[in-house]
Amino acid sequence: MDMTTLIPQFGGVLWTLLAFVLALSVIVAIHEYGHYIVGRWSGIDADVFSLGFGPVLFSRVDKRGTRWQFALLPLGGYVKFKGDSNESGGKDEVAMSTLSEAERRRTMNGAPLWARTATVAAGPVFNFILSIVVFTGIFLVRGVVSEPLTVGDLRPLPAAQELQVGDVIVEIEGVAPPTFDDPVAFNSFLNNLPVQEQLTYTVVREGSERDVSGPYVYPPLAGQVVPRSAASDIGMQAGDVIQSINGAPIFAFAELKDVVEGSDGAPLALEVWRDGEVLDMTLTPRRTDEPQPDNSFRTVYRIGIAGGIFFEPATTTPGAWDAVTAAVGQTGTIISGSLSGLWHMVTGAISTCNLSGPIGIAETSGAMASAGTASFIWFIAVLSTAVGLLNLFPVPVLDGGHLCFFAYEAVRGRPPSDRALRVLMSIGLTLVLGLMVFSLSNDIFCP
């Protein structure tokens, strides 16, 4: 066996692990810092702030007496507050019995209900804040499409094109395009264009109006390749242009979509143009469950590529408030989509294979890191929202479970008994471990 053949595979695995650890470390650090800083503001002291578990690699104690440390296993983290029995929480009865009333107030278990509630809720809230900050930054850097529609950059395509950077598009085939930020109107406009290799564009260039030729607005171009998809598995790359399917030429992304959706999962022979070279590929579409506007799901066949128009539109920088509003909306969309997906999996409306585990998340981390810094940062924001949402589930051992205990205490005037808490925590831990095993099995056995 030639051992050198393992080097690229090892490099890919190492890159995937590094990307996963980096993404997870950022998200966990923000989550746990939320617990720590709100606890400190609420008068609760922290003994340990740890990134990772297991043997400690590095640590220092600050002036407040909190030990900040990095541990060997970078698969999470925790804050151990004063009076906790371990990193998972719980009450250290021996230590608590030796504390004065003032000292007990500075422990998690001796603090007022409002302080404990704020401290526990802060972890998920900080995850959401991280997502909003990242999305805001991306929207500010990336900008929004300027009006009127202007060519910002041209993508490499096999078809001839006479458009130039800076051209202001007045009409396409004699019809003025609607605003780019109205996706319904823009998609309707595209659907009414003739599907052919070349279209006529009326543009303003250097102050004068002229007609030039260019490709179909929405060509069968792989603008993005979804990680762990059918297209990714056969080596398709962003920028690839599909010229024919099963020998029949295509000029529009809609034609590709129609063939894939009508394939019933049968293999498709593709002719792919990449940087002047034509490649032959065979791709098998996969069944997938997609969310619909009414929060239902529809089972369709997909290959895992996202299309795009054949040029990058020129952009302008949005106002800060517009960027923040869009970021909040993006975070809300992720939350609502996740809840809808989980509900439809529980009710059996869609396949449970839609739930990814640690292997799937790690592979996606590596793929997004390979796609570029912007894609990786976007993925961190998406994953941060997912982690914040997961921690709010009302399951003991998760933050949501603790918040349920606090709600019980607020209603009854006293917390659940220590025995009830131990039983519930054991049940919660079993549920979480079961979910981890189930999601891991999805990574291994689902197509």
Side-chain angles (χ1 to χ4, degrees), residues 155-181:
R155 303 180 192 273
L157 292 175
Q161 50 182 317
E162 298 176 355
L163 281 89
Q164 296 180 7
V165 174
D167 283 349
V168 178
I169 298 177
V170 179
E171 293 180 345
I172 305 175
E173 289 294 318
V175 181
T179 58
F180 196 80
D181 60 359

Side-chain angles (χ1 to χ4, degrees), residues 224-355:
Q224 291 180 325
V225 178
V226 179
R228 304 179 70 230
S229 65
S232 174
D233 289 348
I234 66 168
M236 287 193 69
Q237 300 176 9
D240 286 354
V241 180
I242 300 173
Q243 294 185 291
S244 70
I245 304 177
N246 294 333
I250 60 172
F251 306 112
F253 193 87
E255 293 180 297
L256 169 65
K257 184 172 179 286
D258 289 342
V259 172
V260 170
E261 290 184 347
S263 67
D264 201 30
L268 303 174
L270 308 181
E271 191 177 76
V272 178
W273 182 91
R274 178 187 297 167
D275 298 329
E277 182 182 2
V278 177
L279 308 173
D280 292 323
M281 297 182 173
T282 300
L283 182 151
T284 303
R286 296 176 183 170
R287 289 187 58 180
T288 186
D289 300 300
E290 292 187 349
Q292 303 301 301
D294 62 355
N295 286 329
S296 64
F297 278 77
R298 182 169 67 103
T299 299
V300 292
Y301 285 92
R302 292 286 183 257
I303 60 175
I305 66 172
I309 60 178
F310 70 91
F311 62 88
E312 288 283 352
T315 60
T316 56
T317 302
W321 176 251
D322 290 337
V324 171
T325 301
V328 172
Q330 181 65 45
T331 303
T333 297
I334 296 170
I335 292 173
S336 62
S338 299
L339 291 174
S340 177
L342 287 171
W343 172 252
H344 283 81
M345 277 188 277
V346 170
T347 59
I350 63 173
S351 171
T352 55
C353 284
N354 288 280
L355 180 67

Side-chain angles (χ1 to χ4, degrees), residues 125-180:
V125 169
F126 269 54
N127 280 134
F128 299 144
I129 292 174
L130 171 63
S131 299
I132 293 170
V133 169
V134 170
F135 288 140
T136 299
I138 290 176
F139 293 146
L140 288 172
V141 171
R142 189 175 62 187
V144 296
V145 176
S146 59
E147 295 293 346
L149 187 59
T150 304
V151 178
D153 193 19
L154 292 165
R155 303 180 192 273
L157 292 175
Q161 50 182 317
E162 298 176 355
L163 281 89
Q164 296 180 7
V165 174
D167 283 349
V168 178
I169 298 177
V170 179
E171 293 180 345
I172 305 175
E173 289 294 318
V175 181
T179 58
F180 196 80

